[in-house]
Amino acid sequence: MTATTETFNSAALDDGSSIPALLSEQAGQTPWREKISPLTDADIARMEASAATVDSHLASGRPVYGLTHGFGPLVTYEAKSEAEQGSSLISHLGTAQGRPLDPETCRLVVWLRLNSMRKGFSAVSPEFWQRLADLWNEGFTPAIPRDGTVSASGDLQPLAHAALAFTGHGEAWTRSDDGRWSLAPADEVLAELGATPLAWPVREALAFVNGTGVSLAAAVLNHRSAVRLVRATALLTSRMTELLGGNPEHFEDGVGRARGQAGQLQVARWIRQDLPEGHVRDETRPLQEPYSLRCAPQVLGAVLDQLTMAGTVLGREAEGCTDNPLTFEGQVLHGGNFHAMPVGFASEQTGLALHMAAYLAERQLGLVVNPTTNGDLPIMLTPRAGRGCGLAGVQISATSFISRIRQLVTPASLTTLPTNGWNQDHVPMALNSANGVGEALELAWLTVGSLAVTLAQLAAITGRAGDATGVWAELAELSPPLDEDRPMAAEVRRAADLLHGHAGTLLAEGR
């Protein structure tokens, strides 16, 4: 799997761990089966050395944020008790609101924080770390509210709710034998696992909540979905070219080589490999198709290039340490690695890029339902023009989806506000961005589903549906010919799910 088609690969990290399979297409639908590997001797040595550095710093009478002094703007006040500080930290931050993030995101959040904490910069106890990891391996998954952080000292409020769940406060996700997720009180879920609620020491609490793990987890999974979206739209572009008899020259390798853009070359390859062997232009079609078809490699390729760059940033963030304070080569350093600007920008770039892929799909839909560009087929592809309306409703909804996507992917960094007294005077709003991008992706996939059912009707009205094989046969079955008008919302959703799954399979197989 290359960087072009994945957020990042599963190569080993410095400490012998690896990005879990739930970040790759090979994960399928079983992320709850992933396990965090136990600490190695090298992990333990690094973690103990980090803790010893802090102990030495304290013994010499030097201040350490959160241990000898308060949090945020209260850093000017001395703290008297490390034990009290741990409870105070996660309690006062328990102010997040909104519906919880999905279980896959919540599990990835905890994995990312544990991966950061094991690196030996965070002065955390190996024993406490292992208790958290053991609970994660047993399936314990905090339910993390999505709203209420500015992502500046990390995603403080959502991470605090994750930490609180380990104490038995709030809710956790549970998974039934048939694969369904539901919410339950966290203390009940811990009891079912035979686990005692944890009490957070301040060092571990600081390391856990002072990180970018929530915005990062959401951004990583959004990124994976966006790459699938590009692959699915390329696949539909190929099917559309086949059914209309479009000019395959638009996708020739030489076009991309002349320009030299990697994403364009990749998307053109995808389109070519999905075209039937020997496909030629129907002489009734124009030599140059409208831009939504002719320029698909250029548009989707640009999207893919942006996603590749964003994925590189997200990959570095996932492998790094975003705590404060941290230790490095015998020093205790107070810094700002928890500021989530890299994640925020990567998330916003994902949003802007996915919008363009979805917009291309909506414009391709418009091409197919318009007699001016579809080869004089009936408007809205209805075989009952006048009596029937065909795909009119599908197109109108797709147009609405694009408008809403544009609202959702407006960069959240343009809406930052200072907060936390004088302390957090510059904030990135990274989780707000990731949440908006996640909602935009839902609508983007519905746009892809709308185009897919449109192509199913194009195949039917041109007498090609019976020749369909593979994913196109499945699409023809879920969206049969429009002999009469019918509600199509469910077909659009099923088509979106079909293309989402198929795109994931193609990427996992390197196709």
Side-chain angles (χ1 to χ4, degrees):
M1 194 61 63
T2 67
T4 304
T5 56
E6 276 298 334
T7 307
F8 30 74
N9 60 34
S10 297
L13 305 181
D14 293 343
D15 57 13
S17 64
S18 64
I19 299 298
L22 58 84
L23 295 185
S24 70
E25 292 300 347
Q26 290 89 336
Q29 301 300 314
T30 58
W32 58 89
R33 294 180 183 172
E34 296 304 314
K35 300 295 182 184
I36 295 175
S37 59
L39 294 174
T40 65
D41 290 342
D43 291 332
I44 294 170
R46 286 195 307 271
M47 294 167 78
E48 290 180 341
S50 179
T53 296
V54 171
D55 289 338
S56 175
H57 204 83
L58 292 172
S60 69
R62 286 173 286 178
V64 177
Y65 173 78
L67 275 62
T68 63
H69 288 71
F71 305 113
L74 301 171
V75 70
T76 57
Y77 295 87
E78 291 187 0
K80 302 298 183 183
S81 167
E82 280 196 34
E84 182 181 356
Q85 285 288 90
S87 174
S88 174
L89 177 62
I90 63 173
S91 294
H92 93 274
L93 293 172
T95 57
Q97 303 288 347
R99 67 186 187 278
L101 297 164
D102 63 83
E104 184 179 17
T105 303
C106 291
R107 284 190 64 69
L108 181 54
V109 166
V110 178
W111 188 94
L112 288 166
R113 294 313 302 140
L114 290 175
N115 184 60
S116 175
M117 292 163 67
R118 79 187 294 166
K119 291 181 176 296
F121 300 111
S122 309
V124 301
S125 156
E127 293 77 17
F128 192 87
W129 185 98
Q130 194 62 59
R131 292 182 68 190
L132 294 173
D134 289 344
L135 283 169
W136 193 92
N137 284 340
E138 291 173 18
F140 186 73
T141 306
I144 303 173
R146 67 182 57 228
D147 298 316
T149 184
V150 297
S151 302
S153 289
D155 298 306
L156 289 170
Q157 284 76 8
L159 284 170
H161 281 269
L164 286 165
F166 283 98
T167 73
H169 180 88
E171 294 183 311
W173 287 105
T174 62
R175 186 173 180 274
S176 62
D177 292 339
D178 62 1
R180 296 186 181 184
W181 291 94
S182 60
L183 294 169
D187 57 348
E188 294 181 8
V189 178
L190 288 169
E192 289 175 3
L193 294 173
T196 303
L198 303 182
W200 283 84
V202 66
R203 300 187 194 190
E204 284 71 22
L206 266 174
F208 191 83
V209 304
N210 270 185
T212 62
V214 184
S215 54
L216 177 60
V220 163
L221 295 176
N222 286 343
H223 183 277
R224 185 177 72 174
S225 180
V227 174
R228 286 193 185 196
L229 187 82
V230 175
R231 186 65 186 91
T233 308
L235 181 67
L236 292 170
T237 299
S238 183
R239 179 62 167 168
M240 182 177 169
T241 300
E242 174 190 356
L243 293 173
L244 290 177
N247 190 348
E249 282 183 27
H250 304 332
F251 318 119
E252 281 290 333
D253 192 55
V255 176
R257 287 186 177 277
R259 190 175 201 176
Q261 293 288 0
Q264 177 181 335
L265 285 162
Q266 177 64 70
V267 170
R269 280 194 291 269
W270 283 339
I271 295 172
R272 287 198 309 274
Q273 75 183 31
D274 294 327
L275 279 171
E277 187 175 351
H279 173 81
V280 296
R281 177 175 70 91
D282 186 324
E283 293 184 359
T284 64
R285 294 299 301 176
L287 180 64
Q288 295 193 151
E289 291 286 350
Y291 287 10
S292 62
L293 191 53
R294 190 197 335 167
C295 299
Q298 288 79 7
V299 174
L300 295 176
V303 172
L304 194 59
D305 283 336
Q306 294 302 310
L307 292 176
T308 298
M309 289 187 283
T312 299
V313 173
L314 295 175
R316 287 198 294 258
E317 190 82 353
E319 296 183 13
C321 177
T322 57
D323 300 353
N324 176 61
L326 53 81
T327 66
F328 187 80
E329 295 182 351
Q331 295 177 288
V332 175
L333 301 176
H334 294 85
N337 280 355
F338 48 38
H339 195 290
M341 201 73 260
V343 179
F345 276 154
S347 187
E348 289 170 2
Q349 197 60 31
T350 298
L352 294 174
L354 78 87
H355 156 260
M356 200 52 66
Y359 178 45
L360 183 80
E362 187 273 341
R363 287 294 75 217
Q364 289 182 346
L365 190 163
L367 186 158
V368 174
V369 299
N370 188 336
T372 302
T373 49
N374 70 12
D376 292 323
L377 294 171
I379 190 168
M380 299 301 163
L381 297 187
T382 176
R384 308 168 68 247
R387 293 179 298 156
C389 298
L391 294 162
V394 169
Q395 185 185 23
I396 291 170
S397 291
T399 302
S400 172
F401 300 153
I402 299 302
S403 175
R404 180 62 179 145
I405 288 170
R406 290 174 178 175
Q407 298 166 30
L408 290 165
V409 302
T410 298
S413 62
L414 297 178
T415 67
T416 62
L417 297 166
T419 189
N420 198 222
W422 51 261
N423 185 42
Q424 296 186 33
D425 62 342
H426 185 288
V427 302
M429 299 294 184
L431 183 56
N432 284 2
S433 174
N435 286 338
V437 171
E439 292 181 34
L441 275 162
E442 294 175 11
L443 295 172
W445 278 108
L446 291 175
T447 306
V448 164
S450 300
L451 175 59
V453 299
T454 300
L455 295 184
Q457 296 310 312
L458 177 61
I461 207 166
T462 57
R464 304 284 297 279
D467 302 332
T469 59
V471 69
W472 307 127
E474 294 181 61
L475 183 62
E477 183 177 354
L478 70 83
S479 186
L482 276 170
D483 297 328
E484 60 181 7
D485 288 342
R486 62 177 182 266
M488 301 189 74
E491 292 174 37
V492 168
R493 293 194 299 272
R494 289 197 296 270
D497 290 343
L498 174 66
L499 268 296
H500 184 276
H502 189 64
T505 299
L506 292 173
L507 289 170
E509 295 175 352
R511 295 191 289 138

